[in-house]
Amino acid sequence: MQDMALSFKAVYRLHSLAHLRTSNLFAEIPAVCICSLRFQTSGYRRPGMPRDNTPPWKKLNFDFKKGVEGIKKHFGLLKKEFTDHWVGPEGRDLRLYLLEQTRVIWEFRNEESLKQWIVTSDREIGGKSEVYFKLGKNNQTALLYGTLCTDTPKDGETRYSGYCALKSKQMLGAFDVKKHHDWTPYNSLYLRVRGDGRPWMININTENYFTHQKDDLYNYFLFTRGGPYWQEVKIPFSKFFLSSRGRVQDGQYPLWLDKINSIGFTLGDRVNGPFQLELDFIAVYSDRAHTEEFAYEKYKRNPEV
């Protein structure tokens, strides 16, 4: 257990480093598609590499036709948001919203579902790990696979390497206004996965009010069994603990279920070799028997007497 804790500590540091370097990933940098794998490069400049001094106006790619199509798209989204507001929460019937016990948020049945996710690895910092994301057999699942390599780049700066991660994109509404998942009626995360026995880290990112909280993540472990059988995993949201830049925080607070930005999976168990994780669906679940509000002691700066 001590070795595992050390390995996860190293994963936290790597993942937070990559998170810092890809914080503006979604809106500013175009995706590059390589064999069903969608990488996005960040603005991080490795030690010894020359700085890109290209003026920003030379990087613009203006297209009048695409501009008109974008305006039509966003006004269509604006109309849909307006009409959905009168139907019910998130455009669904109010009775269904109040009575449903399980809601599937992501499922993988076509190529469009893969475009909602971003795959990253330690290649962002000069590492050698490889990761790929594609549809599984019969286009009914998604397969995340690759090779983990812990060799650190010889740049004199990087101390740890060896991680691969999958993260959902930020939801955007009309005119690219940021939207959030509202999981308030539910109290557990529900997954159907098939792994190879490796431990993963589940990361949930929430909206923050202050800029110094931009690196905050809620984490919990996902232990896969391996073998040919699927496993259904239900993790209460009360079990997720708060971390920032790879360090578990003294001040622990419950997860804000009405301000969910994204969810991600990180592998970094310091074991070189191939890996794979197959995903069927990711859902939220309301467990009536679970009454725990928060599993950890809440830190108070001035305890009440």
Side-chain angles (χ1 to χ4, degrees), residues 43-61:
Y44 167 65
R45 182 171 59 91
R46 291 188 57 200
M49 298 297 292
R51 186 183 300 274
D52 184 11
N53 296 319
T54 306
W57 58 85
K58 291 187 178 180
K59 299 179 181 180
L60 295 177
N61 184 17

Side-chain angles (χ1 to χ4, degrees), residues 12-184:
Y12 272 155
R13 292 177 179 174
L14 290 169
H15 184 70
S16 57
L17 180 62
H19 179 71
L20 284 173
R21 293 165 179 170
T22 57
S23 58
N24 296 325
L25 210 59
F26 309 116
E28 298 179 3
I29 302 167
V32 181
C33 180
I34 305 176
C35 300
S36 301
L37 169 64
R38 288 162 178 82
F39 280 106
Q40 293 199 6
T41 56
S42 70
Y44 167 65
R45 182 171 59 91
R46 291 188 57 200
M49 298 297 292
R51 186 183 300 274
D52 184 11
N53 296 319
T54 306
W57 58 85
K58 291 187 178 180
K59 299 179 181 180
L60 295 177
N61 184 17
F62 180 78
D63 191 323
F64 181 78
K65 182 179 179 181
K66 289 184 178 180
V68 173
E69 292 176 354
I71 292 175
K72 291 181 179 178
K73 170 189 171 183
H74 287 293
F75 272 104
L77 291 174
L78 185 63
K79 178 182 177 180
K80 184 177 183 301
E81 291 177 6
F82 182 78
T83 55
D84 287 349
H85 178 75
W86 297 103
V87 174
E90 301 179 7
R92 297 183 297 139
D93 185 81
L94 182 60
R95 292 173 296 177
L96 177 64
Y97 180 81
L98 294 175
L99 295 176
E100 68 178 352
Q101 189 173 6
T102 304
R103 181 186 174 192
V104 176
I105 308 298
W106 292 281
E107 58 182 353
F108 306 93
R109 302 295 183 265
N110 50 49
E111 288 287 343
E112 289 298 320
S113 61
L114 300 185
K115 295 179 180 179
Q116 302 175 18
W117 297 82
I118 292 176
V119 180
T120 59
S121 70
D122 55 22
R123 287 183 176 268
E124 291 279 346
I125 58 174
K128 299 180 180 179
S129 298
E130 297 180 356
V131 59
Y132 305 93
F133 190 50
K134 68 174 186 178
L135 286 176
K137 190 175 181 180
N138 299 325
N139 295 341
Q140 296 297 310
T141 60
L143 184 62
L144 180 69
Y145 66 100
T147 305
L148 196 70
C149 180
T150 58
D151 294 343
T152 57
K154 303 183 184 304
D155 54 15
E157 179 184 90
T158 307
R159 297 176 56 192
Y160 301 98
S161 185
Y163 77 89
C164 297
L166 176 70
K167 181 182 179 181
S168 63
K169 290 184 178 181
Q170 171 72 55
M171 267 203 322
L172 298 176
F175 301 101
D176 290 340
V177 175
K178 186 186 292 187
K179 298 178 66 177
H180 312 287
H181 297 281
D182 185 2
W183 297 346
T184 307

Side-chain angles (χ1 to χ4, degrees), residues 110-270:
N110 50 49
E111 288 287 343
E112 289 298 320
S113 61
L114 300 185
K115 295 179 180 179
Q116 302 175 18
W117 297 82
I118 292 176
V119 180
T120 59
S121 70
D122 55 22
R123 287 183 176 268
E124 291 279 346
I125 58 174
K128 299 180 180 179
S129 298
E130 297 180 356
V131 59
Y132 305 93
F133 190 50
K134 68 174 186 178
L135 286 176
K137 190 175 181 180
N138 299 325
N139 295 341
Q140 296 297 310
T141 60
L143 184 62
L144 180 69
Y145 66 100
T147 305
L148 196 70
C149 180
T150 58
D151 294 343
T152 57
K154 303 183 184 304
D155 54 15
E157 179 184 90
T158 307
R159 297 176 56 192
Y160 301 98
S161 185
Y163 77 89
C164 297
L166 176 70
K167 181 182 179 181
S168 63
K169 290 184 178 181
Q170 171 72 55
M171 267 203 322
L172 298 176
F175 301 101
D176 290 340
V177 175
K178 186 186 292 187
K179 298 178 66 177
H180 312 287
H181 297 281
D182 185 2
W183 297 346
T184 307
Y186 312 95
N187 59 11
S188 300
L189 184 67
Y190 182 20
L191 311 169
R192 188 169 186 262
V193 300
R194 180 163 58 180
D196 55 1
R198 287 188 182 237
W200 291 74
M201 185 71 75
I202 303 178
N203 314 299
I204 296 180
N205 176 251
T206 60
E207 183 66 15
N208 300 301
Y209 288 108
F210 304 103
T211 55
H212 69 273
Q213 296 176 328
K214 64 180 181 179
D215 302 312
D216 289 2
L217 288 174
Y218 284 87
N219 313 96
Y220 199 71
F221 306 104
L222 171 64
F223 298 100
T224 59
R225 292 197 296 256
Y229 302 107
W230 288 90
Q231 64 182 107
E232 294 186 357
V233 183
K234 295 178 181 178
I235 305 174
F237 290 126
S238 61
K239 301 294 184 183
F240 283 82
F241 53 89
L242 177 64
S243 69
S244 179
R245 297 188 179 184
R247 297 182 182 272
V248 179
Q249 299 299 290
D250 290 333
Q252 291 291 326
Y253 309 97
L255 183 64
W256 290 358
L257 294 176
D258 60 335
K259 296 289 184 180
I260 304 295
N261 284 338
S262 63
I263 188 172
F265 304 87
T266 302
L267 174 67
D269 56 0
R270 310 287 298 171

